[in-house]
Amino acid sequence: MTVQQAVGPDPYFPANGDPRYRVHRYELALDYRPGPNRLSGTARINGIAGRSPLAEFVLNLADFKIGRVRVDGRQTHYTHRGGRLRVRPAKPIRAGAAFTVEVHWSGNPKPVSSPWGGLGWEELADGALVASQPVGAPSWYPCNDRPADKASYQISVTTPSAYAVVAGGRLLTRTTKASTTTWVYEQAAPTSSYLVGLSIGKYQTVLLGDPGLGGVPQHGHIPAHLLAEFSRDFARQPRMMDLFQELFGPYPFDEYAVVVTEEELDVPVEAQGLSLFGANHVDGARGSERLVAHELAHQWFGNSVSIADWRHIWLNEGFAKYAEWLWSERSGGRTAHQLAAAAHRLLSSLPQDLRLADPGRKSMFDDRLYERGGLTLHAVRCAMGDADFFRMLRGWASLHRGGAVSTTTFAAHVARFAAEPPDELFEAWVYGAALPPLPMPERRAAV
């Protein structure tokens, strides 16, 4: 496993995250009342100091009332301003030493503002959901909000018993007392803060397909009135899971869940072991099937193999885009090359001023990044041939499982599998802005 922690602040979000330490486990105990949208919580965060003693450290947390902050069981001095909870232990934490911080907070959660609108905790007409990419996690819990700082999670949520709670990971217990139910989930795999997913609503739960012995359990949580449409729209997801395990290697988590909310969402949102779709993505005609494939593919690319910082987001989105094309190719739709040609035509008509390797904060979710990212992988496939390309992809997902990577890491990885050095290809597709010619698959001699 490779974790490439940036040595300084994230260049796109310098106020988020603290590189002076890392977290290896969060234990969150939450109580949520949907009516008044009231959240209270306790976080127990196990961290490890970096190479220098920690006289202070920062957690990201939105505008909540802080009840108590303790470090290693002792009350400590703290300030809380501008979404930053600055903690000063009674004495500095030694370099490399483990420590535990406990935070109690309460208030009315709401999305944090961003260039893309509100992110994070969203109150729904009847429930709530969390969609944090890229910086919404502090809207509901204190965290070291940087994608490369990955930790295990245990999340306990108490809410009125009429509501179901869905989180990424394995449901350990569900305990009802009087009118409330407490749901406890465990996500053992290393997880980025923005990928901690949560949904609270009135759902019907269904099993997608039969995972069989050793298979991946796949559940859907949907409003009862959308069950018929959902059953058609997501019917082929188990086949996608089989295909992606063939092409990318074993599914990296214990199980996979999809949630459909009553509300409309602009786009589906991936979380670790969980994807969130809006009611508008369910039409009974498989109209959003490419998005079903896209979100599933993120479990390998983006979630298990995460990015060192947000400059490298094409490694999430370009891979998921190419997975859409691979699913189309293998399920009787247009081939990956036909879809690549369509993407190339589209990009050739748009401004060519985006560089995948560092698109800038304003362009990190630009449609061009997704399309060009998919095209770049198609160019790598055309240059390598299928056997070496898919061997390379499986190696990428396996070698960096649970870790964090950069564009440079990927270029070096491709070089190890390619017959010819890929430097010129990366220079043109990843580091350059002008659109290179459409890559052509290698022609194989007739057998």
Side-chain angles (χ1 to χ4, degrees), residues 44-377:
R44 184 177 174 86
I45 302 168
N46 298 322
I48 300 171
R51 295 178 181 177
S52 303
L54 272 184
E56 63 159 36
F57 59 91
V58 172
L59 289 161
N60 295 108
L61 180 63
D63 187 20
F64 289 98
K65 179 183 178 183
I66 304 294
R68 186 168 71 225
V69 180
R70 289 177 173 169
V71 175
D72 293 331
R74 301 177 63 181
Q75 294 275 19
T76 186
H77 179 75
Y78 67 88
T79 59
H80 185 214
R81 282 192 295 271
R84 291 165 66 83
L85 178 61
R86 192 177 296 276
V87 180
R88 184 166 293 131
K91 60 178 184 179
I93 299 165
R94 290 180 293 106
F99 65 96
T100 300
V101 56
E102 188 179 304
V103 181
H104 296 242
W105 74 101
S106 61
N108 299 107
K110 61 181 188 291
V112 296
S113 59
S114 82
W116 307 277
L119 298 173
W121 190 283
E122 186 174 340
E123 181 186 10
L124 304 178
D126 196 16
L129 66 80
V130 168
S132 292
Q133 188 177 14
V135 289
S139 68
W140 64 288
Y141 76 100
C143 55
N144 190 14
D145 193 30
R146 49 196 286 121
D149 194 9
K150 304 176 71 170
S152 67
Y153 281 79
Q154 186 174 104
I155 303 174
S156 165
V157 182
T158 300
T159 199
S161 296
Y163 295 86
V165 175
V166 184
R170 187 179 294 278
L171 178 62
L172 297 183
T173 60
R174 184 176 67 194
T175 310
T176 298
K177 292 181 180 178
S179 61
T180 64
T181 299
T182 300
W183 306 65
V184 181
Y185 284 87
E186 175 74 28
Q187 177 56 269
T191 305
S192 301
S193 51
Y194 82 93
L195 288 170
V196 183
L198 182 67
S199 185
I200 299 169
K202 295 174 180 174
Y203 300 124
Q204 187 162 332
T205 299
V206 297
L207 180 68
L208 282 159
D210 179 2
L213 194 63
V216 180
Q218 299 174 64
H219 289 92
H221 306 271
I222 61 268
H225 69 92
L226 291 175
L227 182 57
E229 292 87 347
F230 174 88
S231 297
R232 176 166 172 76
D233 291 338
F234 285 77
R236 302 208 294 181
Q237 185 180 281
R239 284 176 55 194
M240 290 179 192
M241 178 71 78
D242 292 342
L243 175 64
F244 291 169
Q245 290 196 97
E246 173 196 331
L247 298 180
F248 310 148
Y251 179 73
F253 308 117
D254 291 333
E255 46 194 84
Y256 182 57
V258 292
V259 172
V260 177
T261 75
E262 287 274 14
E263 320 253 333
E264 295 195 355
L265 300 180
D266 290 341
V267 292
V269 181
E270 75 270 15
Q272 190 102 324
L274 171 69
S275 294
L276 300 164
F277 292 80
N280 52 310
H281 299 123
V282 176
D283 61 6
R286 298 208 306 254
S288 296
E289 190 172 77
R290 72 170 186 86
L291 299 175
V292 177
H294 184 104
E295 302 310 322
L296 177 58
H298 270 312
Q299 302 305 320
W300 285 264
F301 307 116
N303 299 9
S304 176
V305 182
S306 301
I307 49 176
D309 63 59
W310 288 107
R311 289 173 297 181
H312 310 291
I313 189 171
W314 83 274
L315 292 172
N316 296 359
E317 301 303 346
F319 279 60
K321 171 60 70 174
Y322 200 60
E324 294 177 29
W325 300 354
L326 293 171
W327 166 248
S328 174
E329 180 170 88
R330 293 289 289 268
S331 64
R334 286 190 287 172
T335 67
H337 188 69
Q338 288 170 329
L339 290 163
H344 194 273
R345 285 193 297 274
L346 173 67
L347 289 174
S348 66
S349 68
L350 297 173
Q352 295 177 28
D353 56 2
L354 182 143
R355 291 177 171 81
L356 284 185
D358 189 0
R361 191 171 83 166
K362 287 183 178 178
S363 298
M364 58 186 281
F365 296 116
D366 192 307
D367 286 347
R368 292 175 298 164
L369 180 136
Y370 291 60
E371 302 291 344
R372 183 159 178 151
L375 267 169
T376 297
L377 286 170

